[in-house]
Amino acid sequence: MVDCSADPRAQNPIASLEFKDEGGQWQAVPRLDYNYFVAEQGMGPGPYAFRVTDTAGNVLEDSNVPLVEAGEAPGAGQFPACE
């Protein structure tokens, strides 16, 4: 489960989340009604590569993201901040 709820510094809501599978292909992760993205089939043991797109079309890609249970893994980037 990945919580991609809006960061208070972000200007636009998250539109989509993808992870790179073992074959190197991006796989969409569906958003559930309670605003979490859940890959029912799993994403493997990690580390992970993610691609996050906001509603304005800004894209962030991050790789080598470790699996952290009940915690946070800091990312390598941030969407444009509110001005």
Side-chain angles (χ1 to χ4, degrees), residues 1-2 17-22 26 29 39 42-51 61-69 73:
M1 177 175 3
V2 177
L17 170 70
E18 300 166 281
F19 75 95
K20 195 173 281 190
D21 66 17
E22 292 177 357
W26 290 109
V29 179
M43 292 186 263
Y48 306 101
F50 293 112
R51 180 164 61 190
E61 289 187 16
D62 202 354
S63 59
N64 294 317
V65 179
L67 172 64
V68 178
E69 293 188 34

Side-chain angles (χ1 to χ4, degrees), residues 7-32:
D7 182 318
R9 297 167 294 175
Q11 190 169 0
N12 304 302
I14 302 300
S16 67
L17 170 70
E18 300 166 281
F19 75 95
K20 195 173 281 190
D21 66 17
E22 292 177 357
Q25 300 297 311
W26 290 109
Q27 301 295 321
V29 179
R31 181 196 306 256
L32 300 182

Side-chain angles (χ1 to χ4, degrees), residues 4 14 16-18 50-54 58-61 79:
C4 283
I14 302 300
S16 67
L17 170 70
E18 300 166 281
F50 293 112
R51 180 164 61 190
V52 183
T53 305
D54 71 9
N58 297 302
V59 177
L60 287 176
E61 289 187 16
F79 284 115

